[in-house]
Structure formats: C-alpha cells, structure tokens
Amino acid sequence: MKNTPFTQKHIALGAKMAEFAGYNMPISYSGINDEHAAVRSNAGVFDVSHMGEFILKGEHALDLIQRVTSNDASKLTAGKAQYSCLPNMEGGIVDDLLVYCIEENKVYMLVVNASNIEKDWNWISKFNTNNVEMHNISDKTCLLAIQGPNATKMLQPLTDIDILNLKYYTFAKGKFAGVDNVVISATGYTGAGGIEIYFEDKDGSGEKVWDAIFNLGAPQGLKPIGLGARDTLRLEMGFCLYGNDIDDTTSPLEAGLGWITKFTKDFTARPILEKQKATGVTRKLIGFEMIDKGIPRHHYEIKDAAGNKIGFVTSGTQAPSLQKAIGIGYVNMDHSALDAEIYIGVRDKLLKAKVVKFPFV
C-alpha cells in the first residue's frame, strides 16, 4: 500500500485506516455522522492526495484535451476549471476528471481518479500524436480538500489570495501557509463549499500546510474527515463516483452528464453519443429515497411492483443530513419519472422507494 504525505498524521489522530485505490487512507476519525455534520455545518479537511494529476504542455495540448474529453475545454481561460469525462470508443466512460487551464492554449492540469491513474495516462497517451509534453505529477502532489460553509473564512489568514471571493470552478496560484506555488481551487466533492489545494510534496511542505491549517482551524471546530463521510456527502449531492455510478459501460447521457457532452467539437465516440442523444437512451441514472425501512446497496436489483427487474442500485446509504436512506441507480426510462414507485430487492423482500430529483439535500 502507498502512503500519502499525511498518513502518519491520520494514524496519530486515531483514524480508522483502510486500503483505497492502493493507498492507506483514513476512513473515519470521530465517526461518519459526526464528520459529515462538521462539513455541512462548519468545515472539514480531507486528504485526497491519492488522486492523480497530469500536466499537459505545448501548442497542441488543448487539441489533445479536446479530442479525448467530452466537454469543451476551448471555453477555459487561465484560472478556470471544468468538469469533464473521457469517453471510450463505445461511448462508455474511461474516467471523469477536472481540467484546469493554467495557461490558455499552452498548459493544463488534468485531475483524475486515484484508481484510474495508469489507465487514464495510457488512454490519453494513445491519442498524443502531436508530441504534447505530458508529465504525471501524481506521486509528488499533495491535495487537501477543505470543505464546508466556513472553510474559506477560516483559512483566509493563511494566504494573500482572496479565497473568500474565489468563484466556483476557478482557481488561483500563490503562497499558502508560507508554501510557494500552491494552486487554490474553488472546487470540491461535497456540495458544501470550500476549496481544494494542490502543492508539491517537498521540504516538509505537507506537514507545514497541515499543521498551519489545524493550528488555525481546530479552535474554530475544523475537523479531519475520512473517506466514509466523503462518500455520504457526495451521495447527498447526487455526485457520481467512478466505479459505482459511472464506468466503461455507462454513457455520459445515461448518467445525466449531457451537460458535459458538447457536440460542438470532435471527440472520442462523438458519433455514438450523438446518435444516443437523437434517439434517446433506454436507461437513466436516477436518485431515489426509501419509503420502506432498509439501506440500498451497490448492485441490489431495482424492480417494479410485480417483481420484474428494471434496473440496479449503484450507490446507497443512510443519509446523515436527512435521517433517511437514499440511493442512486439505473432504471429503464419508463420507470424514471419523478415520484415513480420502484422497489429495491433486498434478500427475498421488495422494499418500496420513490424516484426523487438531485440533489437530495
């Protein structure tokens, strides 16, 4: 198992640790519900240094990104970021990712899922026919997500960058907690506001930044947060998790990601997805809340009242903010309408649920 620069910090704080995407990661500290509530109401810190980062440079960098991603990266100016995906040749999803424009038409950073670093690198490299300079900086990059309504207010004293007024999906580069060349980005996977900070792991910078954040924030209720609460937070927002809700067999249009699929440019599998858009998809990713008591789990079958299979659950949990069980899953289009009654197959029982809109909170 790989460690992040903060692994020893997690262990010292008594975190429950487990393997995730080949890394030794904190799952929880004080408990998922407590950590979840801290992020929704105040602020929390996630170590997400296991994520992958690639730098693409040169006059053909944008062209390469345009050919392999579904969204239109030509719309990005320096200091802006964009959510996108890498479609495969069949119209499925290789991965979802963030595209950061560092220098327009010249330098970009791609942030990919931890479990897909090698897969994504190989996929993008396959299309790199114009010798774009590519650097995989994943192993030397620290990434901390400080999320919650009070996150920027708490951390503003650590930087000269005006993070209080940083617009959603924009970023700035500068000094943070005395460390140079830090990318501070108004992004995150919780829907609770806040920032993510990227910086190089050198000369003890990881420890310096972590300690500065907690020395300032802990007296104000800032807490370390594990991957358990990261999952419940993203689920309440209806955000997709790669490997659960989207994968190589699901299309962005089925997954409700038509808004990041732009047919104004040529990209992998564009004809397939264009045809899907014209004819309509046969299944759709929906959100649902349980009416009967029970927690929906990954791969449980979704059925109609007669017990016929109409889909499957991709993610589910007891939502801490709602005090009720919720889930995400694919169903046939004729069962996808809001308020439609569906049933989750749990062992030999059919548990009633209803389709609701995203986000859940």
Side-chain angles (χ1 to χ4, degrees), residues 82 85 145 172 218 233-234 277 291 354:
Q82 174 185 84
C85 77
L233 287 156
R234 70 93 193 167
K277 188 175 182 186
I291 295 168
K354 73 168 180 177

Side-chain angles (χ1 to χ4, degrees), residues 121-178:
W121 178 265
N122 293 340
W123 179 259
I124 297 165
S125 299
K126 196 164 78 168
F127 294 90
N128 187 10
T129 49
N130 289 319
N131 298 315
V132 171
E133 199 182 318
M134 289 176 59
H135 301 275
N136 182 354
I137 60 166
S138 308
D139 284 344
K140 59 181 185 182
T141 303
C142 295
L143 173 53
L144 293 174
I146 306 94
Q147 298 282 291
N150 296 328
T152 52
K153 194 166 58 181
M154 259 180 217
L155 301 183
Q156 185 60 72
L158 295 178
T159 181
D160 290 338
I161 295 167
D162 180 9
I163 58 174
L164 285 170
N165 295 301
L166 205 55
K167 288 193 169 63
Y168 196 43
Y169 270 78
T170 68
F171 67 95
K173 213 175 194 182
K175 194 176 266 199
F176 183 91

Side-chain angles (χ1 to χ4, degrees), residues 35 105 107 131 133 145 165 175 201 272 274 302 343 357:
E35 292 165 37
N105 300 318
V107 187
N131 298 315
E133 199 182 318
N165 295 301
K175 194 176 266 199
D201 175 26
I272 295 171
E274 223 163 8
I302 301 177
Y343 294 81
K357 68 175 183 205

Side-chain angles (χ1 to χ4, degrees), residues 24-74:
N24 189 17
M25 297 297 288
I27 303 304
S28 67
Y29 299 85
S30 56
I32 290 172
N33 287 352
D34 182 60
E35 292 165 37
H36 182 109
V39 175
R40 280 275 180 259
S41 63
N42 191 18
V45 180
F46 302 79
D47 173 14
V48 275
S49 303
H50 60 317
M51 298 290 279
E53 293 87 13
F54 308 151
I55 298 292
L56 272 57
K57 280 183 178 177
E59 58 178 324
H60 298 295
L62 177 61
D63 171 66
L64 174 57
I65 291 166
Q66 288 289 71
R67 285 187 289 125
V68 297
T69 63
S70 62
N71 209 337
D72 186 358
S74 71

Side-chain angles (χ1 to χ4, degrees), residues 20 36 39-40 46 48 50-51 83 96 98 113 143 145-148 168-169 185-196 198 226-246 315 328:
F20 182 81
H36 182 109
V39 175
R40 280 275 180 259
F46 302 79
V48 275
H50 60 317
M51 298 290 279
Y83 180 57
D96 61 335
L98 293 182
N113 283 300
L143 173 53
I146 306 94
Q147 298 282 291
Y168 196 43
Y169 270 78
S185 168
T187 49
Y189 195 44
T190 64
I195 55 171
E196 296 182 299
Y198 301 82
L227 294 182
R230 184 172 163 85
D231 194 50
T232 56
L233 287 156
R234 70 93 193 167
L235 230 166
E236 287 187 346
M237 294 306 296
F239 293 155
C240 290
L241 173 64
Y242 193 87
N244 277 45
D245 314 302
I246 49 175
S315 292
I328 298 175

Side-chain angles (χ1 to χ4, degrees), residues 180-323:
D180 284 321
N181 208 27
V182 178
V183 169
I184 306 178
S185 168
T187 49
Y189 195 44
T190 64
I195 55 171
E196 296 182 299
I197 56 173
Y198 301 82
F199 56 99
E200 192 177 348
D201 175 26
K202 64 172 186 182
D203 305 328
S205 60
E207 184 159 2
K208 192 174 178 185
V209 169
W210 179 276
D211 289 348
I213 288 170
F214 277 97
N215 287 342
L216 183 67
Q220 300 175 67
L222 181 73
K223 292 187 174 184
I225 314 292
L227 294 182
R230 184 172 163 85
D231 194 50
T232 56
L233 287 156
R234 70 93 193 167
L235 230 166
E236 287 187 346
M237 294 306 296
F239 293 155
C240 290
L241 173 64
Y242 193 87
N244 277 45
D245 314 302
I246 49 175
D247 59 31
D248 286 290
T249 69
T250 59
S251 96
L253 300 184
E254 292 172 333
L257 299 176
W259 61 280
I260 62 163
T261 310
K262 301 290 165 58
F263 299 112
T264 49
K265 58 163 199 164
D266 282 326
F267 63 92
T268 331
R270 174 183 161 172
I272 295 171
L273 295 173
E274 223 163 8
K275 189 179 173 189
Q276 270 187 22
K277 188 175 182 186
T279 59
V281 292
T282 57
R283 63 177 184 172
K284 181 182 174 184
L285 191 67
I286 52 114
F288 62 89
E289 60 181 45
M290 298 301 297
I291 295 168
D292 290 341
K293 204 170 166 59
I295 311 272
R297 299 287 182 204
H298 184 54
H299 281 326
Y300 281 8
E301 290 187 346
I302 301 177
K303 302 187 176 188
D304 63 16
N308 302 307
K309 185 181 175 184
I310 55 167
F312 57 94
V313 177
T314 55
S315 292
T317 194
Q318 176 74 12
S321 304
L322 302 169
Q323 298 292 299

